[in-house]
Amino acid sequence: DTVPKRVDPTGGPPETLATVPNAAARSGAWNGQGDIVLGSWGGGSGGLTFSLDRTSLNFTFEESTLPPAQTVTATATGNYSGMLYIGAVVEGQAIDPNIPATISGTQGAFQIRPVANLAAGQYSGRVLLLACSDQQCNNRIGNTPLAVSYTVRVDPTLKVSANSVTLNAVSGNEASAQV
């Protein structure tokens, strides 16, 4: 089993982040090798739900800088048995579509950050977090997608150009050019 660290950046099918084989030991935690156990198991996906620790993100920073990522934690409760795929769809242009995710027990932590080199301005949109039973994410699990709205404010900074101006002046007279 492989455990990719990111969701698909194109909004296409998510990569396999974790699988839950039917024959896996049901220890109640992720074994670090692709198996995840989401609580008690009875087969099927009846009653599996996800909750988020926050549903909005706000970023404010200056041009040419990048703020640290903010974490959104999803917690799963209920029963599920089978393959589990996660993914994210970024709506809008200000969030980096490469969203690292870490699974621990019944929780997934998603690291969300703005894209680099945004022009000054205000941006908003949503990130939709998905849990699916198929790689194409046609069969959603539980109550996904889960929406996380975002606002990104990029403040302008003073920019200095490399152009030069030659000035000549005699004391008491105006300069030979405007600055």
Side-chain angles (χ1 to χ4, degrees):
D1 290 332
T2 60
V3 184
K5 301 296 184 196
R6 298 182 289 175
V7 296
D8 184 81
T10 64
E15 299 177 52
T16 304
L17 181 66
T19 60
V20 186
N22 291 328
R26 307 296 187 220
S27 64
W30 183 46
N31 70 10
Q33 298 182 7
D35 299 333
I36 184 172
V37 179
L38 301 174
S40 62
W41 298 82
S45 60
L48 183 65
T49 59
F50 298 90
S51 60
L52 299 176
D53 67 336
R54 55 164 82 187
T55 57
S56 65
L57 300 171
N58 293 298
F59 297 92
T60 301
F61 57 99
E62 293 181 347
E63 283 180 302
S64 303
T65 64
L66 192 60
Q70 294 184 27
T71 302
V72 174
T73 301
T75 301
T77 56
N79 300 320
Y80 181 75
S81 177
M83 299 294 284
L84 173 68
Y85 299 87
I86 66 167
V89 175
V90 175
E91 297 176 343
Q93 63 188 32
I95 295 296
D96 186 340
N98 295 309
I99 300 175
T102 304
I103 303 295
S104 178
T106 59
Q107 294 186 322
F110 297 85
Q111 301 294 312
I112 300 173
R113 75 171 59 243
V115 297
N117 303 314
L118 279 173
Q122 182 121 353
Y123 305 85
S124 61
R126 298 186 313 167
V127 176
L128 303 176
L129 301 176
L130 310 169
C132 310
S133 62
D134 65 308
Q135 198 167 18
Q136 292 73 32
C137 219
N138 292 323
N139 299 306
R140 307 277 168 78
I141 296 173
N143 55 329
T144 68
L146 301 172
V148 179
S149 62
Y150 67 83
T151 301
V152 176
R153 190 180 89 204
V154 182
D155 294 329
T157 58
L158 179 63
K159 294 182 178 100
V160 179
S161 84
N163 296 337
S164 63
V165 175
T166 303
L167 297 175
N168 295 313
V170 176
S171 180
N173 294 325
E174 291 185 16
S176 61
Q178 292 284 335
V179 178

